[in-house]
Amino acid sequence: MNVSIQLKVKSFIRDPNDTDLGRKIIENSILLIDQLGFEAFTFKKLASIIDSTEASVYRYFENKHKLLIYLISWYWSWLEYRLNVEFLKVHKPEQKLDFFLKVITTPGNVDSEFKFVNGVALHRIVVSESPKAFLTKDVDADNKDGYFRSYKVLVHMISNVVLEVNSAYPYPTALVTTIIESAYNQQYFIDHFKTLSETRKKGDLEKFLSGILYGALNVKPS
Amino acid sequence: MNVSIQLKVKSFIRDPNDTDLGRKIIENSILLIDQLGFEAFTFKKLASIIDSTEASVYRYFENKHKLLIYLISWYWSWLEYRLNVEFLKVHKPEQKLDFFLKVITTPGNVDSEFKFVNGVALHRIVVSESPKAFLTKDVDADNKDGYFRSYKVLVHMISNVVLEVNSAYPYPTALVTTIIESAYNQQYFIDHFKTLSETRKKGDLEKFLSGILYGALNVKPS
DNA sequence: GGTTAAATAGTAGTATTACTATCATATTTT
DNA sequence: AAAATATGATAGTAATACTACTATTTAACC
């Protein structure tokens, strides 16, 4: 398989896909952000790992926030890609939604090694860091520049499936964003606040989210 | 009224409630974080506003993250206080949950001026910054130190009300955290991502969350 | 095949941030 | 009046988040 995820919106200065250094930046920034957390992550530390320099990294990304936006966007596009592949195989909207729930609650798959991207580490970054991509004072400017398009495309895609299940439901995108944000948030709570989530056992989180989704839509789960 | 919110867990070095400078730090840090966002907020900027020095602020809080934890904790304790007052007046659990939904979706109340705390600004901080209080590499150490107790107390209090409505529901705290996080997240989306939430009109967000809550519990809303 | 232009890598420097340490002074407590 | 405490003033440091400039490699053209 040699499909590549091409992001339509450029939060980069120079496309990291095009060069060796660019790919090393992506590959190792995922590992390093996962290790250190976004706050302690710096371009200098990254550069020393990939035997390059701070200035070289800056030629690809204006700052580490733009890099985070790139990584998170890549994740949502990758998710959308996997859903699209699956959606060709199944037809009932309920089956599609179940697969969607499965994908967002699973830390990583066998097929998650996508070229130079460590999907498991990237999933953890989404769990721990993704709200930081939009919880900034630059959010409106970033939004205007289209930096959250991957997420929006994904949300609208699932919203349409939600409407196939219940076309009268008035809040489809609010429901989908709630499900997505809750999925990742609960994964964080399971790891760090034992008393704040009962979805500890395998499959529980999926069941919990399924109950919310079909409960809100007022239909029985498939 | 002269009730004061006393936080049981000290994320401070010296209690800001005790002194004039301490209260000025709280009052103005709320206004300044609201204005600048947490990233651009610094103790130096704060000190210059309150005609003090960086070193003096550092005598109250070890760093700005501990200050954020203090402010957010104060907010949850304030919320818990208001809910407790109301819960004495009503008796049906559904009424309690409805009041809970109302409080978390309302940006500020008439009674929200609580001494030197601007409740409206603090509400905005919770919307925009609260996940940053726990999405750090220090989360486990901070949790061990009890820094998230106010939030946990609130969640467990509401979870118990949820169980009054449906004692067989298996995920009460997961449901309550999902409702809370979604409430604040949707408020952010309404302001910044118009296409990602349909809950634009007054009361819509409450209705949306009510649908999720009672839908998951599989009972009709009151 | 050699000259020139463009792309990329590497070096060095700056302003700001996030602190820490020290000392002086004002205020409060005993 | 002495002692303890709170605040202020000043200075200094290591790290961060960049920017500007120089060196080298690669590509493009005649």
Side-chain angles (χ1 to χ4, degrees):
Chain A
M1 184 170 67
N2 204 12
V3 195
S4 82
I5 304 288
Q6 281 296 334
L7 299 181
K8 283 175 205 94
V9 175
K10 312 178 221 166
S11 68
F12 50 76
I13 297 167
R14 174 171 308 161
D15 193 334
N17 263 301
D18 289 351
T19 65
D20 222 53
L21 179 61
R23 288 181 288 267
K24 268 160 86 180
I25 288 173
I26 299 306
E27 181 179 359
N28 290 281
S29 66
I30 291 171
L31 301 176
L32 198 56
I33 292 174
D34 183 35
Q35 262 178 54
L36 304 178
F38 186 64
E39 282 72 31
F41 168 85
T42 69
F43 279 0
K44 197 173 189 176
K45 291 173 187 168
L46 172 64
S48 100
I49 283 176
I50 60 180
D51 270 311
S52 180
T53 62
E54 231 183 326
S56 296
V57 179
Y58 272 103
R59 283 197 194 87
Y60 286 84
F61 292 96
E62 205 182 314
N63 52 50
K64 68 176 182 175
H65 186 247
K66 292 277 168 73
L67 170 59
L68 180 64
I69 285 173
Y70 180 89
L71 297 177
I72 307 280
S73 295
W74 196 96
Y75 180 88
W76 298 127
S77 292
W78 175 46
L79 232 163
E80 190 215 332
Y81 165 78
R82 285 193 284 162
L83 292 175
N84 271 321
V85 168
E86 182 73 12
F87 286 8
L88 292 173
K89 300 185 210 158
V90 300
H91 291 95
K92 276 196 264 179
E94 288 85 356
Q95 289 178 298
K96 294 181 182 178
L97 292 179
D98 289 349
F99 186 76
F100 162 65
L101 292 182
K102 190 185 175 172
V103 169
I104 60 174
T105 55
T106 306
N109 293 47
V110 182
D111 78 323
S112 77
E113 296 308 320
F114 209 106
K115 284 165 68 184
F116 45 92
V117 171
N118 181 328
V120 180
L122 185 54
H123 182 101
R124 276 195 297 263
I125 291 176
V126 171
V127 167
S128 303
E129 318 289 357
S130 65
K132 298 171 192 169
F134 60 83
L135 292 179
T136 73
K137 281 286 167 186
D138 295 329
V139 61
D140 295 328
D142 287 351
N143 188 30
K144 215 167 189 173
D145 289 339
Y147 293 161
F148 307 112
R149 210 165 93 173
S150 301
Y151 183 72
K152 290 181 185 177
V153 166
L154 176 69
V155 169
H156 287 124
M157 173 190 175
I158 308 298
S159 297
N160 286 329
V161 182
V162 164
L163 289 174
E164 285 180 52
V165 173
N166 177 350
S167 62
Y169 185 68
Y171 315 112
T173 69
L175 181 59
V176 172
T177 56
T178 294
I179 296 280
I180 294 177
E181 296 307 315
S182 177
Y184 293 93
N185 202 51
Q186 292 297 320
Q187 287 173 71
Y188 193 84
F189 281 9
I190 288 165
D191 285 346
H192 301 288
F193 305 128
K194 318 256 175 242
T195 59
L196 287 184
S197 189
E198 298 89 357
T199 63
R200 200 156 312 291
K201 277 175 286 176
K202 193 173 154 36
D204 271 357
L205 181 53
E206 232 176 304
K207 261 186 250 167
F208 165 68
L209 294 173
S210 180
I212 290 195
L213 177 56
Y214 293 109
L217 295 176
N218 207 20
V219 296
K220 293 257 173 284
S222 61
Chain B
M1 184 171 68
N2 204 12
V3 195
S4 81
I5 304 288
Q6 281 296 334
L7 298 182
K8 282 174 205 97
V9 176
K10 311 178 222 166
S11 68
F12 49 76
I13 297 166
R14 175 172 305 161
D15 193 334
N17 263 300
D18 288 351
T19 65
D20 222 53
L21 180 63
R23 288 182 288 267
K24 268 162 85 180
I25 287 172
I26 299 306
E27 181 178 359
N28 290 281
S29 65
I30 290 171
L31 301 176
L32 198 57
I33 291 173
D34 183 35
Q35 261 177 56
L36 304 179
F38 186 63
E39 281 73 32
F41 168 86
T42 69
F43 279 1
K44 198 173 187 178
K45 291 173 188 169
L46 173 64
S48 100
I49 283 176
I50 61 179
D51 269 310
S52 180
T53 61
E54 229 183 327
S56 296
V57 179
Y58 272 102
R59 288 198 188 91
Y60 284 83
F61 292 96
E62 206 183 313
N63 52 50
K64 68 176 183 174
H65 186 246
K66 293 276 169 74
L67 170 59
L68 180 65
I69 285 173
Y70 180 88
L71 297 177
I72 306 279
S73 295
W74 196 97
Y75 180 87
W76 298 127
S77 292
W78 175 45
L79 231 163
E80 190 215 332
Y81 166 78
R82 286 193 284 162
L83 293 175
N84 271 322
V85 169
E86 182 73 14
F87 286 7
L88 292 173
K89 299 184 209 158
V90 300
H91 291 93
K92 277 196 265 180
E94 288 85 354
Q95 289 178 298
K96 293 180 182 178
L97 292 179
D98 290 349
F99 185 75
F100 162 66
L101 292 182
K102 191 184 174 170
V103 169
I104 60 174
T105 55
T106 306
N109 294 46
V110 182
D111 79 322
S112 76
E113 295 310 320
F114 209 105
K115 286 164 73 186
F116 46 92
V117 172
N118 182 330
V120 179
L122 185 53
H123 182 99
R124 275 195 298 262
I125 291 176
V126 171
V127 168
S128 303
E129 319 287 357
S130 65
K132 297 171 193 170
F134 60 82
L135 292 178
T136 73
K137 282 283 166 185
D138 296 329
V139 61
D140 295 328
D142 287 351
N143 188 31
K144 214 166 188 175
D145 289 340
Y147 292 162
F148 307 112
R149 208 163 96 173
S150 300
Y151 183 72
K152 290 181 185 176
V153 166
L154 177 69
V155 169
H156 286 125
M157 173 190 174
I158 307 297
S159 298
N160 286 330
V161 182
V162 163
L163 290 174
E164 285 180 52
V165 174
N166 178 350
S167 62
Y169 184 68
Y171 314 113
T173 70
L175 180 59
V176 172
T177 56
T178 294
I179 296 280
I180 294 177
E181 297 306 317
S182 177
Y184 293 93
N185 203 50
Q186 292 297 320
Q187 287 173 72
Y188 193 84
F189 281 9
I190 288 165
D191 285 345
H192 300 287
F193 305 127
K194 318 258 175 237
T195 58
L196 287 184
S197 188
E198 297 88 357
T199 63
R200 201 157 312 289
K201 277 176 285 174
K202 194 177 155 33
D204 270 357
L205 180 53
E206 232 176 303
K207 261 186 252 168
F208 164 69
L209 294 172
S210 181
I212 290 195
L213 178 56
Y214 293 110
L217 295 177
N218 206 19
V219 295
K220 292 258 172 284
S222 62

